[in-house]
């Protein structure tokens, strides 16, 4: 049975009072989102990873990946106007009858 990991990371950082969305804030010289992906990958390396971000953050994320030489395999999906829509967009990439985390 196929397994998928869907990570919805569309926050803006406004509640933290940051100009940078919290998923991109650095912890130990690496964006938090990279730590998250690496940790989940270490637990389920054979899963298909789906990362949902706002389209407006794709370029920034890709630049961060280049700068940090981040090479994990994942599918980047455009988020929606709400968390519900973003989750729905991520789940649309999942095969039927699969396990989803």
């Amino acid at each position: 049975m196929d397994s998928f990991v869907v990570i919805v990371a569309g926050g803006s950082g406004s509640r933290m009072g940051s100009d940078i969305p919290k998923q991109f804030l650095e912890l130990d010289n690496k964006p938090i989102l990279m730590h998250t992906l690496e940790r989940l990958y270490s637990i389920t390396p054979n899963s298909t990873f789906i990362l949902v971000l706002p389209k407006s953050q794709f370029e920034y994320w890709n630049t961060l990946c280049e700068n940090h030489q981040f090479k994990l395999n994942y599918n980047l999906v455009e988020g929606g106007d709400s968390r519900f829509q973003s989750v729905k967009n991520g789940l649309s990439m999942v095969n039927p009858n699969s396990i989803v985390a």
Side-chain angles (χ1 to χ4, degrees):
M1 182 174 284
D2 294 332
S3 63
F4 290 79
V5 175
V6 179
I7 300 168
V8 180
S12 65
S14 60
R15 286 182 297 184
M16 291 190 67
S18 174
D19 292 333
I20 299 173
K22 62 183 168 279
Q23 63 270 23
F24 302 137
L25 293 174
E26 290 199 1
L27 175 66
D28 211 14
N29 297 316
K30 188 173 4 178
I32 291 171
L33 186 52
M34 289 180 187
H35 286 284
T36 302
L37 283 161
E38 288 173 339
R39 182 65 181 134
L40 290 169
Y41 185 82
S42 74
I43 297 167
T44 60
N46 297 319
S47 293
T48 299
F49 283 76
I50 299 167
L51 176 58
V52 183
L53 291 174
K55 181 73 170 173
S56 63
Q57 295 177 355
F58 280 20
E59 185 177 339
Y60 185 69
W61 171 247
N62 289 329
T63 299
L64 287 173
C65 289
E66 288 177 26
N67 292 344
H68 291 275
Q69 300 175 358
F70 187 73
K71 306 267 189 222
L72 287 183
N73 193 21
Y74 58 89
N75 298 301
L76 189 57
V77 174
E78 183 176 346
D81 291 333
S82 66
R83 182 154 188 92
F84 174 83
Q85 189 62 49
S86 293
V87 171
K88 183 178 176 186
N89 291 356
L91 290 174
S92 73
M93 303 297 292
V94 172
N95 296 335
N97 302 316
S98 298
I99 297 173
V100 180

